[in-house]
Amino acid sequence: EPLFSMSDGEGYSAVDELRARAEEDMGALNVDWSALERAANVEIVPTRKDVPYETLGGIPRGVQAVHIRSQGRSYFIAENIRPEHLKGLILHEVAVHAGMEGLVGKRGLKEIYRQIEQMLEADHPAIVSARGIAERYSGDNPTVVAEETLAYLIETNADLPIVTSLLSRIRQ
């Protein structure tokens, strides 16, 4: 099943410009975009119709990025991405959906989810917001909601200690 990042408006459009922005954004994190793109099996495509996924009629309108587990591939849909959102989207799709378990292991991932639940119970605003977005787009599967909560948290709050700790693992 695909895991989506949704758009809230107009996007970018040129694949080459988006790729250049990815190199710049990831370079600022000391991450080599070209190496990450290859290792994480990422493709930047012009439109949602360029994503090879036909189940349920294809990729819905407004999707910025999608990780399709059955393909082991993440797609970034240029027409829906604003440049200022790209870095967060890369972290969302690549770090969480395509590679988090590989970075921290099953036990480490369970610990991250436990920390997020504790922060949610303490009404941490960033966690509450990420959970709200995850629930809106992920349905009621608790595993998917937990993963999407982490993904949206990383996408929008790169300065939180739980996120900076995870980002340091990506750089290694």
Side-chain angles (χ1 to χ4, degrees):
E1 85 188 42
L3 299 167
F4 304 115
S5 293
M6 299 299 291
S7 172
D8 61 357
E10 293 300 311
Y12 219 31
S13 62
V15 171
D16 290 339
E17 290 176 49
L18 198 61
R19 186 169 284 109
R21 179 65 185 244
E23 289 172 8
E24 179 183 323
D25 287 350
M26 292 298 97
L29 295 173
N30 295 318
V31 174
D32 179 341
W33 168 249
S34 296
L36 183 64
E37 191 175 24
R38 286 188 305 277
N41 205 10
V42 170
E43 184 174 349
I44 299 173
V45 296
T47 72
R48 68 187 173 94
K49 293 177 181 173
D50 296 302
V51 176
Y53 186 77
E54 296 305 320
T55 303
L56 302 175
I59 303 299
R61 291 183 193 276
V63 170
Q64 298 176 93
V66 59
H67 178 73
I68 302 175
R69 286 204 169 116
S70 62
Q71 297 178 11
R73 192 162 187 80
S74 294
Y75 298 90
F76 291 84
I77 302 168
E79 71 178 352
N80 293 335
I81 299 174
R82 292 197 312 232
E84 63 271 18
H85 293 168
L86 183 60
K87 179 169 60 174
L89 286 169
I90 291 169
L91 296 173
H92 176 131
E93 296 298 332
V94 176
V96 178
H97 296 319
M100 185 58 65
E101 190 173 308
L103 287 170
V104 300
K106 284 185 189 273
R107 189 176 305 157
L109 193 54
K110 283 179 79 170
E111 174 58 21
I112 291 166
Y113 291 155
R114 187 191 65 74
Q115 290 174 23
I116 287 173
E117 289 303 318
Q118 286 180 329
M119 293 171 77
L120 185 64
E121 289 172 13
D123 286 330
H124 188 287
I127 303 291
V128 170
S129 175
R131 177 57 58 90
I133 295 168
E135 288 175 342
R136 184 170 53 234
Y137 293 122
S138 304
D140 57 4
N141 180 324
T143 303
V144 174
V145 169
E147 183 174 334
E148 286 294 341
T149 299
L150 176 59
Y152 283 109
L153 181 67
I154 285 177
E155 180 179 333
T156 58
N157 294 279
D159 58 336
L160 285 178
I162 189 172
V163 175
T164 57
S165 171
L166 292 171
L167 291 178
S168 70
R169 292 180 183 195
I170 293 171
R171 289 184 197 106
Q172 295 174 354

